[in-house]
């Protein structure tokens, strides 16, 4: 039953993925902003604070890709990308 629920969630994620991307980007940006603010509060220069926050988070793009891989059907996305080329 757990596997069926996970499969249905992935299929739903495939069809709603583009709308969820906006929410995901906003959430990741929010976390980055909070981490940057914490570094600034500790006395770092704002540019260095943002750089450290990006390093700590592993980068926004990598985080978004990891969530997309869990949410959707990566093999269908791969096929679609190959066809578009």
């Amino acid at each position: 039953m757990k596997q069926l629920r996970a499969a249905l969630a992935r299929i739903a994620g495939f069809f709603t993925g583009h709308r969820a991307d906006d929410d995901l980007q906003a959430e990741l940006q929010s976390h980055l902003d909070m981490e940057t603010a914490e570094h600034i509060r500790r006395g770092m220069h704002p540019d260095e604070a943002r750089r450290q926050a990006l390093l700590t988070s592993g980068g926004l793009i990598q985080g978004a890709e990891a969530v997309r891989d869990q949410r959707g059907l990566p093999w269908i996305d791969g096929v679609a990308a190959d066809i578009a080329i």
Side-chain angles (χ1 to χ4, degrees), residues 3-74:
Q3 291 175 339
L4 177 61
R5 200 171 328 150
L8 290 174
R10 283 180 171 258
I11 292 169
F14 177 74
F15 291 108
T16 61
H18 299 293
R19 286 178 283 166
D21 279 348
D22 294 337
D23 293 338
L24 174 62
Q25 288 295 53
E27 184 175 348
L28 291 173
Q29 186 63 47
S30 174
H31 285 287
L32 182 66
D33 293 344
M34 287 188 291
E35 185 74 21
T36 301
E38 179 63 23
H39 287 304
I40 291 171
R41 187 186 67 75
R42 292 181 182 174
M44 276 189 191
H45 185 274
D47 292 337
E48 179 62 19
R50 180 164 172 78
R51 190 179 85 74
Q52 285 298 320
L54 282 168
L55 289 173
T56 302
S57 70
L60 294 178
I61 295 172
Q62 292 85 352
E65 288 297 322
V67 171
R68 281 187 202 107
D69 287 346
Q70 292 295 316
R71 180 180 62 212
L73 300 170

Side-chain angles (χ1 to χ4, degrees), residues 74-85:
W75 64 273
I76 291 179
D77 291 336
V79 170
D82 290 344
I83 292 172
I85 295 176

